[in-house]
Amino acid sequence: GAVVAAWCCPDGRPGDRNAWVALARADRALVAADRLRHRRIGRNKVCGEARFPPADLRRLPPGWYRCALHAEGGEPVASEAFAIVDGEPTFDPGDRLEAAEAAARASAAT
């Protein structure tokens, strides 16, 4: 499945503020330069959604991620953390995440 991040910008000017929604490692989501994927918000409106399709997720290593709204002149805000395992987002990865991370480490070592 896709990751769909709902966002709100109370002043209704995200386009004027060069806002974007980042997809990043959970511990780095508030650091703009550490985004792995992003969607620019090009229109001025109060609320909307940013979609990260399965093709974007399949290329990410297994781990914990967050979406974060970044805009000029504002503090970034981040979503709840979620895991991506085998290209699929989940809030409850169980043992699959640990196994996928171990497999990725083993693959990188060879």
Side-chain angles (χ1 to χ4, degrees):
V3 168
V4 179
W7 57 265
C8 288
C9 188
D11 70 5
R13 297 181 21 235
D16 291 345
R17 296 176 64 203
N18 295 315
W20 74 91
V21 175
L23 175 61
R25 288 287 193 170
D27 61 340
R28 305 297 298 165
L30 297 179
V31 180
D34 288 349
R35 65 186 182 264
L36 300 172
R37 306 280 184 274
H38 74 281
R39 298 290 179 266
R40 187 174 180 289
I41 301 170
R43 304 179 101 186
N44 286 333
K45 54 187 178 178
V46 175
C47 295
E49 293 182 340
R51 181 172 169 28
F52 298 93
D56 283 350
L57 306 181
R58 281 192 290 272
R59 294 187 295 253
L60 295 174
W64 288 98
Y65 293 85
R66 291 181 194 269
C67 290
L69 176 63
H70 295 264
E72 288 180 3
E75 290 293 318
V77 291
S79 70
E80 180 179 349
F82 56 91
I84 294 178
V85 181
D86 298 326
E88 290 289 325
T90 179
F91 285 106
D92 184 19
D95 295 335
R96 295 180 352 193
L97 179 57
E98 188 175 317
E101 287 176 324
R105 282 191 301 274
S107 175
T110 58

